[in-house]
Amino acid sequence: MQKAVRTLLLSTALLAAGTLAARAEAPDVVVSIKPIHSLVAAIMQGVGEPGLIVEGAASPHTYSLKPSNAAALQDADVVFWVGHGLEAFLEKPLESLGGKATVVELDDAPGLEKLPFREGGPFEAHTHEGEEGHDHAHEGHSHDADGHDHAKEAEGHDHGEEAGHEHGEFDMHLWLSPDNARAIAAEAARILSEKDPANAETYNRNLAGLTDRLAALDKEIAETVAPVKDKPFIVFHDAYQYFEHHYGVHTAGSITVSPETLPGAERLTQIRDKVKTLGATCVFAEPQFEPKLVNVVIEGTPAKSGTLDPEAATLDPGPDLYFTLMKGIATSLRDCLGQAS
């Protein structure tokens, strides 16, 4: 009896040790922003949980790296980020990693649809330098409501070894298309399988399940926005092009406003005139904007107000966040545009 108990305890201990060893072998993964983190977390389910750099309501456009973030990057085996045109704050830290981590720039993922920035006509320039007499700068970068200088990005970045590979001409909100989400997830599964072949089967199984979920999400969103596809709306910054292009919704234009600096009376008048001129039925702000600002903008116009959250500022991180994010955008569009005349 005692021998049987000892054998059972030994087997349990060996099993536990084996489980811990398997976990220890799983790669240490760090992801830059919530929407991408959600897709990577879905791929890693059953193996481990990726770390997240830009937490809470922070924006990658204006983020400052914390010591804990730097430590996480230093310890990482794999780092996923969108690219130079979005998370500029990561450029120097990633260059200093010394080659330990596999750094994956997802705007280079195979199969991505990449759309150029829209400027001119109803779309504001992607920098508001000089607006109301202000030059809003962050660590050498002037920024709009995005928090970064797209005018500079449009010139392209030359990152040494990349020999002329330019990142700046494209809209970097790539994840707002389910097709791009599938491409990002596939690239994450490929990289993780190469880095951690012992768990490749799990990564690929998770990819198959995620692909099915994304197909169902795509169909659901298409049905949600179908009744309001032809109703024009205005956004505070031009972040939704991939969503619009995929689902055929109709953005009338954008209004460039810095969330850090409220516009003065003259600028508010210009914005209100623009809302009237473009005939928008809804004006959508984002969580970082004061609701009263939107109310002032639409005062005296027939437009309604709403909120869109393209970077998941209000959502808790995890494998389901991407689905909540995309459904939230679709629902906000339907609810606001549906009540507009």
Side-chain angles (χ1 to χ4, degrees):
M1 179 69 178
Q2 289 180 344
K3 183 178 180 181
V5 170
R6 284 198 299 271
T7 301
L8 178 62
L9 290 173
L10 179 60
S11 298
T12 302
L14 290 172
L15 179 62
T19 301
L20 289 173
R23 286 180 179 172
E25 292 170 3
D28 190 340
V29 178
V30 176
V31 187
S32 59
I33 62 172
K34 286 182 180 179
I36 306 302
H37 176 272
S38 178
L39 297 170
V40 175
I43 297 298
M44 292 188 68
Q45 282 187 307
V47 177
E49 296 182 9
L52 173 65
I53 295 179
V54 182
E55 298 180 309
S59 168
H61 307 295
T62 55
Y63 193 73
S64 295
L65 202 69
K66 300 176 182 177
S68 58
N69 300 145
L73 290 173
Q74 197 65 40
D75 293 339
D77 298 307
V78 183
V79 179
F80 291 103
W81 66 317
V82 178
H84 301 274
L86 186 74
E87 309 102 319
F89 73 93
L90 278 176
E91 290 182 356
K92 289 183 180 179
L94 290 178
E95 288 173 2
S96 66
L97 286 181
K100 175 183 182 293
T102 298
V103 178
V104 184
E105 190 170 340
L106 289 166
D107 72 340
D108 288 331
L112 275 182
E113 175 188 44
K114 297 168 78 169
L115 301 173
F117 284 120
R118 299 180 291 196
E119 292 187 358
F123 291 96
E124 291 287 316
H126 285 266
T127 176
H128 61 284
E129 184 175 335
E131 175 185 300
E132 290 293 305
H134 295 285
D135 178 6
H136 304 291
H138 269 307
E139 299 177 354
H141 296 276
S142 64
H143 64 88
D144 58 9
D146 273 274
H148 63 288
D149 184 355
H150 293 309
K152 181 177 179 180
E153 289 170 9
E155 298 172 1
H157 297 263
D158 184 2
H159 294 280
E161 296 179 0
E162 293 177 311
H165 186 134
E166 294 185 353
H167 297 268
E169 69 266 34
F170 296 107
D171 184 339
M172 297 295 280
H173 299 86
L174 301 163
W175 61 89
L176 292 179
S177 157
D179 287 343
N180 280 353
R182 280 189 283 269
I184 289 167
E187 180 69 349
R190 184 186 71 81
I191 294 293
L192 290 170
S193 295
E194 289 180 356
K195 192 76 174 178
D196 179 25
N199 288 305
E201 184 178 348
T202 300
Y203 297 136
N204 289 312
R205 183 172 60 247
N206 288 343
L207 175 61
L210 180 58
T211 300
D212 289 343
R213 288 189 68 193
L214 288 170
L217 173 72
D218 192 5
K219 181 179 178 181
E220 179 181 345
I221 291 177
E223 293 172 351
T224 299
V225 301
V228 296
K229 281 174 64 172
D230 297 326
K231 294 191 175 183
F233 59 94
I234 288 179
V235 293
F236 264 60
H237 89 283
D238 189 20
Y240 308 92
Q241 186 177 186
Y242 291 96
F243 190 97
E244 300 160 36
H245 184 71
H246 188 83
Y247 293 108
V249 293
H250 179 44
T251 307
S254 65
I255 302 165
T256 303
V257 176
S258 167
E260 289 85 6
T261 305
L262 292 178
E266 182 180 351
R267 177 60 174 156
L268 283 173
T269 299
Q270 293 171 354
I271 295 171
R272 194 179 296 115
D273 289 344
K274 184 171 186 177
V275 172
K276 293 177 180 178
T277 301
L278 294 176
T281 53
C282 283
V283 176
F284 289 97
E286 294 176 15
Q288 70 267 37
F289 292 100
E290 288 287 340
K292 64 182 180 182
L293 175 59
V294 185
N295 293 332
V296 170
V297 167
I298 66 173
E299 184 180 354
T301 78
K304 308 292 183 182
S305 65
T307 302
L308 299 174
D309 187 8
E311 294 168 4
T314 61
L315 303 179
D316 294 328
D320 293 326
L321 173 144
Y322 183 80
F323 297 86
T324 305
L325 165 67
M326 293 292 282
K327 289 178 184 178
I329 292 174
T331 301
S332 294
L333 288 172
R334 180 199 63 194
D335 290 352
C336 186
L337 296 172
Q339 66 174 321
S341 58

